[in-house]
Amino acid sequence: MHRYLAYVLAILLFPLCVWLATIWPAWYWGVGITAAMVAIGTWDLVQKRSTLRRNYPVLAHFRYGLESIGPEIRQYFVQSDLEDVPFSRQQRALIYQRSKNEMDVVPFGTLRSTYAVDYEWINHSLAPTEVADHDFRVLIGPNCAKPYSASVFNISAMSFGSLSANAIRALNEGARRGGFYHDTGEGSISPYHREMGGDLVWEIGSGYFGCRDEHGAFSEERFVANANTDQVRMIEIKLSQGAKPGHGGVLPAAKVSAEISVTRGVPMGVDCVSPSKHSAFNTPVELLQFVARLRELSGGKPVGFKLAIGHPWEWFGIAKAMQETGLLPDFIVVDGAEGGTGAAPAEFIDHVGVPMHEALLLVHNTLVGLDLRDRIRVGAAGKVSSAFEIARTIALGADWCNAGRGFMFALGCIQSLSCHSDRCPTGIATQNPNRWRHLDAADKATRVHNYHENTLRALRDLLCAAGLQHPAELGPEHIVRRVSPVEIRSLASLYRYLSPGELLRRVPDHAVFHDFWSDARSDSFEPPARIRALRNSKSR
């Protein structure tokens, strides 16, 4: 009977509270509470959707309530400062401090165990350097008519629609002040991107938003209209993203507002579909031809693509197409499986795609092996938020880094994990004007700018300690990782790095290249014949 205790007590207390209220009117609050409990308990008993509520009338709701605030309880009271879920309290605190220009030094000693497996550090020099300027840049598309000098730290792809109007305003104004770029995400260029005038990288996904015809196919005329604005500095073709590679998306008709309709070039009242693949090309060679065509249509702006690595032969097919045709992208952005998103299926977030470190190494090694690395710039994204993470990523093989969630924290994100609900408590990841209007775009733009500036100052200090002048000098020999309690190894010795032109001479002694390089094709993304044979060996 203990299962019904709360319900029975409510039934018994209800008439008592009514009687007491006739004597002391203040007891009407008791009448209201007990009446509500009786009503809830009665409904729990008669409904058939939840067995738990039928077995535990009234009491079950306490369980649901505690469960609903479980993430907050764990985040604020249970989890350690170093537990990455997905960003640790220490990581978030550092971003908050730097965005507010507050003191970001740490007292007493590190909270990390320096003898734990996977602990990493950068080796310092006994002859440290002095570098006055922290505005480190990389030139992208030097042979283009309109090359772009990019910061080594920029805002990753986040669309208007996923983020609110004021969040876009703040990010773009922060980028304008700091002279770094703001990737539009595949949702195209909204009025809020244009309003502040910060540098844009226009991301074009499979939905061709902002450059599509009425049937959803790529439209050269609409592309030219957007691409030739001065604010757009580069064009990025999105092949896949780390958080949900190989997965399209649907923005329900009810969420296609007038602003989103104009921004994306889609009709109101109709589901806005992002297909899982592009329709403008079907093979690696056609992809590179599309890259060349966009470069021409944009008046000579750098054009590249973003991808999360999946089947190795598909990336190798693109690389072989570069080698055979001489058509090269100006840049490639490697997105890791640890990348963020507003919403994605759990299986995709947890178990699809190659993590950024291994993906970046594969892309870097392939370009080096084909003797193309000095002609193609490589960016990387995947949970980068601090100066050390920028240094480590560049040491692995990148030229620059992008960050999404790091800049969201600078806006005030509290990692409430409600991006998909339209109930973001900080007004960042919501289209509800009652929430996002309370986000002060001017104030948050200052924080975005501060975070970028202070992070690059910290990067400069790391470089000086290592005896270097520029992030481009960082190599895998500078970063050391503990691989066991009694063994440490530099990334240079931990990973196999190809020598320039090695792929032009032979298939290297490297497992992935050994297994898939020879079979990859520039005219198809299809798996090699032996892979198809393995698939067909299963009975159906």
Side-chain angles (χ1 to χ4, degrees):
M1 287 300 297
H2 66 282
R3 293 186 287 121
Y4 302 95
L5 182 61
Y7 180 51
V8 171
L9 283 176
I11 293 173
L12 295 176
L13 289 174
F14 174 68
L16 177 61
C17 290
V18 170
W19 176 71
L20 290 172
T22 61
I23 303 173
W24 297 289
W27 273 91
Y28 276 113
W29 65 266
V31 174
I33 292 175
T34 54
M37 292 178 66
V38 171
I40 291 170
T42 303
W43 175 245
D44 288 340
L45 287 173
V46 300
Q47 59 81 39
K48 297 182 179 180
R49 291 187 61 187
S50 170
T51 304
L52 183 67
R53 285 166 56 196
R54 295 187 80 181
N55 282 330
Y56 293 87
V58 180
L59 287 175
H61 295 275
F62 289 97
R63 184 260 185 193
Y64 295 141
L66 290 172
E67 183 181 47
S68 69
I69 61 172
E72 289 79 8
I73 292 174
R74 287 190 293 273
Q75 181 176 151
Y76 294 116
F77 301 108
V78 179
Q79 291 163 356
S80 74
D81 286 345
L82 300 179
E83 190 172 351
D84 297 347
V85 282
F87 282 78
S88 70
R89 186 178 289 108
Q90 187 182 71
Q91 289 173 310
R92 302 197 308 272
L94 181 64
I95 297 171
Y96 295 148
Q97 290 160 355
R98 287 180 172 166
S99 68
K100 298 175 184 178
N101 264 342
E102 294 178 350
M103 185 183 298
D104 63 353
V105 297
V106 178
F108 206 71
T110 180
L111 297 177
R112 301 180 182 277
S113 171
T114 58
Y115 295 95
V117 174
D118 290 336
Y119 175 73
E120 292 179 317
W121 66 92
I122 182 170
N123 275 341
H124 70 284
S125 171
L126 295 180
T129 55
E130 292 185 8
V131 178
D133 190 7
H134 60 274
D135 185 24
F136 302 116
R137 297 200 162 264
V138 54
L139 185 64
I140 304 173
N143 298 319
C144 291
K146 299 176 181 178
Y148 180 59
S149 179
S151 171
V152 297
F153 191 42
N154 302 282
I155 301 173
S156 195
M158 296 182 286
S159 300
F160 169 61
S162 293
L163 299 190
S164 68
N166 278 2
I168 295 293
R169 284 185 173 117
L171 288 172
N172 196 256
E173 172 62 11
R176 187 195 65 78
R177 296 181 193 176
F180 54 102
Y181 79 66
H182 178 193
D183 193 311
T184 65
E186 67 175 307
S188 192
I189 308 169
S190 73
Y192 309 107
H193 288 99
R194 301 181 194 277
E195 186 177 326
M196 301 303 175
D199 288 351
L200 294 177
V201 171
W202 181 18
E203 183 179 89
I204 298 175
S206 56
Y208 305 113
F209 300 128
C211 57
R212 59 187 270 146
D213 62 21
E214 59 274 13
H215 304 295
F218 176 72
S219 166
E220 289 191 356
E221 180 182 356
R222 294 179 182 177
F223 171 80
V224 169
N226 272 326
N228 283 280
T229 58
D230 292 339
Q231 195 178 357
V232 174
R233 307 305 297 270
M234 300 198 297
I235 314 296
E236 176 183 278
I237 303 165
K238 173 189 164 183
L239 301 181
S240 54
Q241 74 179 84
K244 46 183 176 183
H247 189 277
V250 177
L251 187 66
K255 292 188 177 182
V256 181
S257 65
E259 290 175 319
I260 291 176
S261 173
V262 172
T263 297
R264 299 195 178 195
V266 297
M268 293 182 64
V270 178
D271 288 345
C272 178
V273 179
S274 298
S276 58
K277 61 175 291 187
H278 281 262
S279 60
F281 53 85
N282 292 300
T283 69
V285 169
E286 289 177 359
L287 163 63
L288 297 180
Q289 291 170 341
F290 189 57
V291 167
R293 182 60 178 152
L294 296 190
R295 188 185 296 121
E296 178 185 355
L297 292 171
S298 66
K301 294 180 179 180
V303 179
F305 55 82
K306 178 177 83 173
L307 83 167
I309 295 294
H311 296 311
W313 61 80
E314 295 175 350
W315 157 244
F316 289 161
I318 298 173
K320 282 190 172 182
M322 296 180 200
Q323 177 193 10
E324 294 170 8
T325 65
L327 298 173
L328 305 180
D330 297 299
F331 66 91
I332 299 171
V333 174
V334 180
D335 205 16
E338 61 270 52
T341 184
E347 290 84 357
F348 278 75
I349 281 184
D350 291 339
H351 301 294
V352 180
V354 177
M356 188 258 283
H357 292 184
E358 288 74 16
L360 172 60
L361 280 167
L362 184 64
V363 170
H364 172 75
N365 263 334
T366 305
L367 297 178
V368 169
L370 291 175
D371 220 6
L372 295 174
R373 184 62 182 87
D374 60 336
R375 299 169 63 187
I376 301 173
R377 298 299 188 189
V378 177
K383 211 173 177 182
V384 175
S385 63
S386 72
F388 175 76
E389 288 159 352
I390 295 173
R392 178 183 58 198
T393 304
I394 293 176
L396 279 166
D399 292 304
W400 82 88
C401 296
N402 292 338
R405 288 167 291 180
F407 283 100
M408 287 178 66
F409 289 130
L411 289 175
C413 169
I414 60 172
Q415 195 170 275
S416 67
L417 307 182
S418 57
C419 309
H420 61 300
S421 69
D422 206 35
R423 294 193 297 271
C424 172
T426 56
I428 297 170
T430 178
Q431 294 304 302
N432 184 341
N434 293 324
R435 291 175 179 265
W436 64 255
R437 283 175 182 159
H438 294 289
L439 189 155
D440 188 322
D443 174 66
K444 302 308 181 188
T446 299
R447 294 191 184 188
V448 168
H449 179 213
N450 289 343
Y451 168 54
H452 180 267
E453 287 289 297
N454 290 325
T455 301
L456 287 192
R457 287 193 181 99
L459 177 62
R460 177 198 59 192
D461 294 345
L462 281 180
L463 294 173
C464 291
L468 306 176
Q469 298 282 341
H470 191 277
E473 299 174 27
L474 284 163
E477 70 278 6
H478 291 108
I479 307 297
V480 183
R481 181 181 300 165
R482 182 173 293 283
V483 296
S484 82
V486 294
E487 183 182 6
I488 62 173
R489 294 177 66 182
S490 72
L491 299 186
S493 64
L494 192 60
Y495 295 110
R496 165 77 157 90
Y497 279 84
L498 271 61
S499 59
E502 186 173 346
L503 274 172
L504 301 175
R505 299 186 295 270
R506 62 185 178 86
V507 178
D509 184 21
H510 184 294
V512 178
F513 288 95
H514 182 271
D515 288 345
F516 299 111
W517 177 254
S518 298
D519 292 332
R521 296 168 49 187
S522 62
D523 64 345
S524 176
F525 286 115
E526 290 296 315
R530 60 186 181 83
I531 300 297
R532 291 199 302 271
L534 287 173
R535 295 177 181 177
N536 294 333
S537 67
K538 299 177 182 178
S539 59
R540 298 187 182 184

